[in-house]
Amino acid sequence: MLLLLLGIIFLHLAALVLLFVSTIVSSNIYYTLTHHHYRSVTDSPPPLFFFSLAEWIQAVQAVMILSIIFSCLSLFLFFCQLFTLQKGGRFFLTGTFQILASLFVMSGAIIYTVMSPEWVLGTYSFGYSYILAWVAFPLALISGLIYVILRKRE
Amino acid sequence: MLTFLALTSVALLGIVPEQSQAIVIYTGWERHALVGSDVRLSCSFFSWRWTSEDVSFSWTYRPDGSRDTISIFHYTRGVPYLDNKGPFKDRLEFVGNPGRRDGSILIKNLDLSDNGTFTCDAKNPPDIVGRPSSVRLLVFENVPIQAGVITGAIIGVVLGLLVLIVVIYYLMRFLVARRVFSLSVRSVSGLWPAALCQSGFCQGLELKPEPIPGMDTCVAKLA
């Protein structure tokens, strides 16, 4: 019983950590991309007040951050429901938030996959943060599904 | 004592200009404008000396990606000289007030080729040692979106929707519980309202009233 609980928490935390690493590492890629694009179009350094030249990069950023927020919320809700749920109840809310987080990661990775080839050189496209995002998506999805199926005992 | 202090302060004030502190020139860092609009490039300076009559301002321009600088404006001895041959021909206007140490110029009808760095150099004789200051002009066709605005907007909208859903959920629960409560009050007269209000059940959020004939299915769906 305790083993199951620990396993579930470990899975959740693993997905969360992957999301964190992927988002934090890729944050500098966004500015490198726009910086590089600016330099290739004009010949001078980008302005101090930085205007982003691509809206999709900001959308990817927003979606990744949202997935982290939802995953953290679902972890918090899991501990709440662990102590307040009636016997035999299901962790619907926790599972919903975790599944939403995985959907956000998926949409972020898909937007990046679709939009990046027309914009950048091959070197930037498949850094390890991109791979981490794709790994975090199924982990979060499985974790969310487990929460939805799981029933509270004792 | 007081006279000693007065003498030292006068001496200090006298000494400082003799060492000719550098003149400090202030312009903006960057200016953003749309194509076709006008932009005012401000330039002012700080100097320990009084503003002399020989104060001079000069503006030079270096286009983006080029290494050449050209002079576009010069003010000296009370007369401004504007560019009449270069890229800013007929587009410059002197809007500064040299008496108040302001050497600003106005550039009209901007074009994309006006992107570049403008350098202002001011001299206030005998205070002439100073570093010219530069302002970068960026001309856009349409107003660009700042980095982070879309990110913030998306996150804000989604979190706002989440909060809205939670609020609506609790509101519905509250309203439906109250509706059931008020209906039960109407059918069972007298006993319920006083008793329940005293024991603090008037909030009605977790209220599960006794099943009333005909209302069983309603309550079961709510729970």
Side-chain angles (χ1 to χ4, degrees), chain A residues 31 38 43-52 55 58-59 61-63 65-66 69-70 73 97 104, chain B residues 29-30 32 64-65 115 136 138 140 144-152 154-156 158-159 162 166:
Chain A
Y31 286 103
Y38 198 91
D43 219 351
S44 45
L48 196 67
F49 216 0
F50 205 29
F51 298 102
S52 179
E55 290 76 24
Q58 296 192 36
Q61 236 176 347
V63 153
I65 292 175
L66 276 172
I69 292 176
F70 273 70
L73 273 176
F97 273 79
F104 279 130
Chain B
W29 185 265
E30 263 174 13
H32 312 117
D64 260 353
N115 270 296
R136 179 129 179 251
L138 292 152
F140 299 102
I145 306 173
Q146 276 182 350
V149 166
I150 296 182
T151 312
I154 294 178
I155 295 179
V158 171
L159 289 180
L162 188 70
V166 166

Side-chain angles (χ1 to χ4, degrees), chain B:
Chain B
M1 185 62 191
L2 275 173
T3 47
F4 175 68
L5 278 173
L7 280 173
T8 43
S9 55
V10 166
L12 278 172
L13 283 171
I15 286 168
V16 162
E18 290 297 331
Q19 293 170 348
S20 71
Q21 300 276 324
I23 187 175
V24 184
I25 303 173
Y26 304 107
T27 59
W29 185 265
E30 263 174 13
R31 286 283 174 272
H32 312 117
L34 290 175
V35 171
S37 68
D38 306 338
V39 69
R40 181 201 161 110
L41 302 174
S42 63
C43 175
S44 115
F45 66 88
F46 173 79
S47 164
W48 285 105
R49 296 250 177 207
W50 298 113
T51 313
S52 92
E53 283 159 10
D54 295 334
V55 68
S56 73
F57 291 94
S58 62
W59 282 92
T60 58
Y61 168 63
R62 180 173 65 85
D64 260 353
S66 162
R67 282 184 174 197
D68 309 318
T69 44
I70 61 166
S71 241
I72 59 168
F73 175 81
H74 191 71
Y75 173 94
T76 185
R77 291 179 193 248
V79 182
Y81 299 93
L82 305 166
D83 176 18
N84 54 3
K85 288 190 182 64
F88 297 98
K89 181 178 174 179
D90 299 330
R91 290 200 287 150
L92 272 182
E93 193 187 320
F94 181 56
V95 293
N97 189 346
R100 290 183 189 268
R101 304 183 170 188
D102 179 16
S104 312
I105 54 171
L106 181 75
I107 306 178
K108 293 183 251 199
N109 201 13
L110 286 166
D111 190 41
L112 286 174
S113 59
D114 292 333
N115 270 296
T117 312
F118 292 79
T119 311
C120 175
D121 192 12
K123 299 205 185 310
N124 185 26
D127 219 354
I128 55 144
V129 180
R131 220 173 271 154
S133 169
S134 307
V135 57
R136 179 129 179 251
L137 180 66
L138 292 152
V139 184
F140 299 102
E141 274 169 350
N142 35 27
V143 182
I145 306 173
Q146 276 182 350
V149 166
I150 296 182
T151 312
I154 294 178
I155 295 179
V157 162
V158 171
L159 289 180
L161 276 174
L162 188 70
V163 168
L164 200 69
I165 290 174
V166 166
V167 162
I168 288 178
Y169 171 72
Y170 276 111
L171 203 67
M172 294 307 292
R173 265 179 57 167
F174 173 69
L175 284 177
V176 170
R178 261 187 62 186
R179 204 164 52 141
V180 171
F181 172 59
S182 60
L183 278 170
S184 73
V185 163
R186 257 185 256 128
S187 59
V188 183
S189 59
L191 285 169
W192 272 59
L196 278 174
C197 275
Q198 276 165 13
S199 47
F201 278 102
C202 273
Q203 277 76 32
L205 272 176
E206 300 298 332
L207 180 61
K208 279 204 178 137
E210 285 178 11
I212 294 142
M215 296 288 295
D216 280 21
T217 46
C218 225
V219 171
K221 277 188 201 149
L222 287 173

